[in-house]
Amino acid sequence: QVQLVESGGGLVQAGGSLRLSCAATGRTFSNYAMAWFRQNPGKEREFVAVIDWAFGASIYTDSVKGRFTISRDNAKNALYLQMNSLKPEDTAVYYCAASTKVTAAPDEYAYWGQGTQVTVSS
């Protein structure tokens, strides 16, 4: 079992950068693919990025490619999302999640954090 806690959200100006962190606890962290999702009120949860459990291979949604970088440190049980060139449309609550497979489907993630708010001002 994995417990997840996000941090690092805040208010930034468009074009700025922010780094999100996800602290994980649990004995099998390295066996899970880890992902970031985001969600706004009244909208579906949106996949952002995922990283595999062993090789660091990652997948990004088209809207963040070239701007966001997902990474993990299994020794520290930590997941990160470096967000550069932020846009107002990036504003959302960001969640980290863990799955036994590499997927963009939120229904396949068994473990979720509580989220951290990211607000990008114009």
Side-chain angles (χ1 to χ4, degrees), residues 38 40 46 67 87-92 94 120:
R38 62 189 182 187
N40 281 306
E46 178 189 14
R67 299 189 298 120
K87 304 174 181 179
E89 51 262 47
D90 294 319
T91 295
Y94 283 70
V120 184

Side-chain angles (χ1 to χ4, degrees), residues 12-94:
V12 298
Q13 295 288 331
S17 297
L18 203 61
R19 185 173 187 251
L20 304 183
S21 298
C22 176
T25 60
R27 291 183 290 179
T28 58
F29 173 79
S30 63
N31 294 331
Y32 292 89
M34 299 293 298
W36 290 97
F37 291 81
R38 62 189 182 187
Q39 188 170 25
N40 281 306
K43 292 190 175 182
E44 296 292 321
R45 192 170 301 172
E46 178 189 14
F47 169 77
V48 177
V50 61
I51 186 167
D52 83 291
W53 53 86
F55 303 106
S58 57
I59 301 171
Y60 299 87
T61 192
D62 287 344
S63 64
V64 308
K65 287 180 179 177
R67 299 189 298 120
F68 290 11
T69 302
I70 188 171
S71 62
R72 68 190 296 167
D73 187 335
N74 289 346
K76 297 181 179 180
N77 287 351
L79 175 74
Y80 307 99
L81 185 68
Q82 179 65 48
M83 304 184 293
N84 298 325
S85 302
L86 284 163
K87 304 174 181 179
E89 51 262 47
D90 294 319
T91 295
V93 176
Y94 283 70

